[in-house]
Amino acid sequence: MKYFGTDGIRGKAEIFTSEFITKIVAGLVEYAGDNIKVLLGGDTRESTEWILTDFESALETFGIEFSNAGVLPTPAINYCFYNMGFDFAIDVTASHNPYMDNGIKIFERGDNSGKKLCEKGCEIIEAALDSEKTYALVSPTLREDLHEEALNLYKEHLATYLGEANLNGLRIALDCANGATSVIGDSIFKEFGAETELINADGNYGKKINANCGSTHLESLVSLVQTNQLDLGIAFDGDGDRCLLVDEKGEIVDGDEIIAILANSLNLDKIAVTVMANQGLLNWAKDNNIETEITAVGDSNVAAAMREKDIKLGGEQSGHIILPNEPTGDGILTSLMILKTISKSGKSLKELKSIIKKYPQVILNMEATPETKEALKTSEEAKKILLAYDKKLESVSGRLLVRPSGTENLIRITMWGNDEEEIATLANELKNELKRSLT
C-alpha cells in the first residue's frame, strides 16, 4: 500500500496536515458510514496534540460522534474503545520513532475485542487520500474528556487479567520512554507490592519521547539496574505496546526470550513468531515439542496467525508480545506477567531466560528510498548477491533475512550464526554490496 505500512500510517509529522487528516476521516466514513462513534487518543510527542485537534475538526465536519481520551498507551486505547461502546479508535502515535515523526493506528470492532483496521478499510482510506476532493472544515464543539475514565478502565483490566499476584520484595526499574506509559507511571506495579524506580516518565506533549531512552535505548536502564542492584528493569516504547527487559546482571532480555519464558510457565504447546525470531528460540521450541508458526514481520501478522491457528501466545523479538485472549501487544501487561512468573517460580529473570541458548545475531540498517526498497524486490543482481551470502552462511550454520522496513526508510539486514565475528563481517560485506547494487 502507498500510505499504510505494517503498523498504520507513519512518517514525518508535517505530512499530517489538516487536509490529510480530513481525507482519512472521509475514507473512514466511506468505509463505515457516518453513524459511528470514534475514540481518539495518542502518545506524548508534541505533534500529537495538534493532530488530535485536527481529527476533532474533521470528525465534527462529517458529523461523527467522538470523544478524546488524551495520552494513553496503544493497548489501553484498543481495550477502552471496545469496552466503552465506540465503533473505532484512532490512535495518534509513531511508536518507537523519534519525536519528529508521527502516525496513526486505526482500530475497529472484532468479534470479542478491538482489532487493527482491515485491509478493505485501509484501501478505501488510501483512495480517499489520493482524491482531489476538498472539504470546508468546521470547528469542533467541546467534547467530554474521557482520559481518567479510560485510564481507570484499563487499570482494572490489568488487575483482572493478572489475578492473584504478589510482587512483594521485587525491586524493579521502569523506563517509560517519556511516552504513553508515563500516565500509568509505576502505580499498577506498586499496587501489587513491587518496589519501583521510575525514569523517563514525562507524560506531557513534547520532544522527549524515545530520546535516548525506552526500549530503543536501554543504556540508562542497564546502568540503573546494575548500580542499584535491582531485580530487573522494564523498558517500554513510546506508545507502550511492547517492552524489553534487563535482568539483574544488566543483560538485555528480548521478545524471543520473553516468549520462551511465558510459553514455559503457561505450559503452552504452540507459539507464533516472525521470520526475525532468533534461531535459539526455534531450536528450543523444537526440542520441547512446541509447534512454531512463523509469520511475516509485524504484530498484525502474528495476531492473524494466532486467530487462524488457535495459538495462545505469540510475538516479535522487538518485544511485541500477544498474550492469551489479548488482541494486540501490551508492554505493561507483558511485563506484569513476567513479574508474576518470577514471583511464583522463585527464580531470577536470568535463570528464567536461560532455558534458551540464543544464536549470535547481527542487525544492520541501510538507508533506503522507496525506490531502493522496491528495487530490492525486483533486482536480479540483488537476488544473486543474497543467494551467494546464503551459501556463505552455511559454514556457521547461519541464516539470513533482508527486508525493507514497513515503518521507516530503511532496509534491514539480519544474520544469525554460531560465530559472532564471522557473521558481523559477512553482514557488513553484504550491506556494502547491496548499497553498490541498489543505489
Side-chain angles (χ1 to χ4, degrees), residues 10-28:
R10 196 176 300 180
K12 296 300 179 187
E14 54 263 30
I15 72 169
F16 293 93
T17 63
S18 58
E19 179 183 12
F20 191 86
I21 289 167
T22 304
K23 288 183 176 181
I24 290 172
V25 174
L28 183 63

Side-chain angles (χ1 to χ4, degrees), residues 269-308:
D269 60 3
K270 289 191 279 187
I271 57 173
V273 298
T274 77
V275 290
M276 287 291 293
N278 189 277
Q279 189 63 41
L281 174 62
L282 304 182
N283 292 347
W284 171 81
K286 183 178 179 181
D287 291 344
N288 288 275
N289 297 314
I290 295 174
E291 183 181 333
T292 305
E293 181 73 17
I294 299 178
T295 78
V297 170
D299 61 316
S300 59
N301 294 317
V302 174
M306 290 172 66
R307 289 192 297 270
E308 182 181 345

Side-chain angles (χ1 to χ4, degrees), residues 20 25 32 74 151 278 312 349:
F20 191 86
V25 174
T74 288
L151 179 57
N278 189 277
K312 302 300 182 186
L349 181 56

Side-chain angles (χ1 to χ4, degrees), residues 171 173 197 219-232 246-250:
R171 299 172 63 238
E197 296 194 26
E219 301 83 5
S220 59
L221 184 64
V222 169
S223 177
L224 180 59
V225 169
Q226 291 177 321
T227 300
N228 292 0
Q229 298 183 321
L230 304 178
D231 294 307
L232 72 153
V246 173
D247 71 19
E248 68 274 18
K249 299 298 183 183

Side-chain angles (χ1 to χ4, degrees), residues 56-68:
E56 290 180 345
S57 294
L59 290 164
E60 186 80 14
T61 298
F62 283 90
I64 305 301
E65 185 178 346
F66 68 89
S67 291
N68 193 331

